Amino acid sequence: MSFGAGHGEGGWDDDGALRAALRRAAEELGLALSESDREWGRLAEYIESGSSRRVMVYPPGERRRTFQVNLHDHGTRLACGWTADLTEVVRATAAWSGGAGLEETRARASFVRFRPWALAHEQEPFGAVELTWWAKLDRIHMPPYDRHPRAHALLVAAYAQPALRGLMPVNSHFDLWFSTSIEESWKSRVGYVIRPYDEGLYGVRNDGELVARTEMPEEAVALMVAALPGGLGPAS
């Protein structure tokens, strides 16, 4: 059961069109989908009752003429996939929101993709900071983040520093800073902020004031590490 971007009277631009199509496809397959009570416009959300799992389904668009399915748990995207087959979307949604694991979900819907870190986390959950690092580093493999290699290179350079690896990485409009709290609060920010798109360079800033601009992300990260408060820097 495949549909193009122009499916339906108003295409996929009509709010609720995707949810209605998924509902019909699920009925034909004899599957039940736990649709969310929240309204998401053109998107569709499905949740597992009593758990933190959810599935987000995006309709085809101008950039990609397939459905996109994201599988989340505890607010983190663990797997995703793209397919033109609405039946496959329903199978993946029913499996994940019904409690199936990553490998079982992929067995039911082969378009689902996940990386080794997600499977490792499923088998033995990471702590909040480590999980955030892996999720952010992994974004380079998923649209739209795959269009931002400079921001990814900055994350990779930061993760290579043990002094930063134990802090919560926070992104804001691609800027990178670090928090001592898992809440990612600006009040718990430590050190500088690095902008990966600062006049074509990596800009290192402190409370908005420019400290330096570097050509390489490793150079910017080194400046950040050197300026960390006592107990968090290189000597710790």
Side-chain angles (χ1 to χ4, degrees), residues 99-150:
L102 289 169
E103 292 183 315
E104 183 180 351
T105 299
R106 184 171 60 185
R108 298 186 192 178
S110 60
F111 75 94
V112 170
R113 294 289 180 268
F114 52 86
R115 298 183 60 77
W117 71 267
L119 190 59
H121 168 66
E122 182 179 60
Q123 295 170 348
E124 187 173 346
F126 299 150
V129 172
E130 185 178 5
L131 178 59
T132 300
W133 268 113
W134 278 113
K136 289 181 180 294
L137 288 166
D138 196 55
R139 286 178 177 175
I140 192 65
H141 303 288
M142 305 176 186
Y145 303 101
D146 56 349
R147 302 196 299 270
H148 302 284
R150 289 180 62 86

Side-chain angles (χ1 to χ4, degrees), residues 35-223:
E35 188 171 343
S36 170
D37 293 332
R38 292 185 290 181
E39 293 293 331
W40 285 91
R42 297 171 61 243
L43 280 59
E45 180 188 49
Y46 300 89
I47 57 177
E48 179 187 8
S49 177
S51 84
S52 59
R53 288 189 175 203
R54 67 186 180 105
V55 180
M56 292 298 299
V57 183
Y58 298 75
E62 293 183 1
R63 291 186 57 87
R64 185 182 293 273
R65 298 180 64 82
T66 56
F67 302 100
Q68 177 179 333
V69 179
N70 292 344
L71 310 183
H72 296 256
D73 193 15
H74 289 93
T76 300
R77 179 170 60 176
L78 299 182
C80 66
W82 296 265
T83 179
D85 191 337
L86 201 62
T87 297
E88 287 290 283
V89 174
V90 170
R91 288 198 178 106
T93 301
W96 184 251
S97 62
L102 289 169
E103 292 183 315
E104 183 180 351
T105 299
R106 184 171 60 185
R108 298 186 192 178
S110 60
F111 75 94
V112 170
R113 294 289 180 268
F114 52 86
R115 298 183 60 77
W117 71 267
L119 190 59
H121 168 66
E122 182 179 60
Q123 295 170 348
E124 187 173 346
F126 299 150
V129 172
E130 185 178 5
L131 178 59
T132 300
W133 268 113
W134 278 113
K136 289 181 180 294
L137 288 166
D138 196 55
R139 286 178 177 175
I140 192 65
H141 303 288
M142 305 176 186
Y145 303 101
D146 56 349
R147 302 196 299 270
H148 302 284
R150 289 180 62 86
H152 176 69
L154 180 58
L155 276 169
V156 171
Y159 187 72
Q161 293 286 345
L164 297 176
R165 201 177 302 158
L167 299 173
M168 178 67 77
V170 185
N171 293 108
S172 177
H173 297 88
F174 302 111
D175 292 357
L176 177 64
W177 51 277
F178 291 87
S179 170
T180 57
S181 168
I182 62 174
E183 301 300 327
E184 301 186 3
S185 171
W186 183 260
K187 293 181 180 179
S188 58
R189 178 180 68 88
V190 290
Y192 296 151
V193 176
I194 304 179
R195 295 183 177 177
Y197 300 99
D198 199 335
E199 297 188 7
L201 300 171
Y202 292 89
V204 183
R205 294 180 176 271
N206 184 31
D207 294 328
E209 296 294 327
L210 180 66
V211 174
R213 288 192 179 99
T214 70
E215 293 186 358
M216 302 299 294
E218 293 83 2
E219 297 169 334
V221 168
L223 291 173

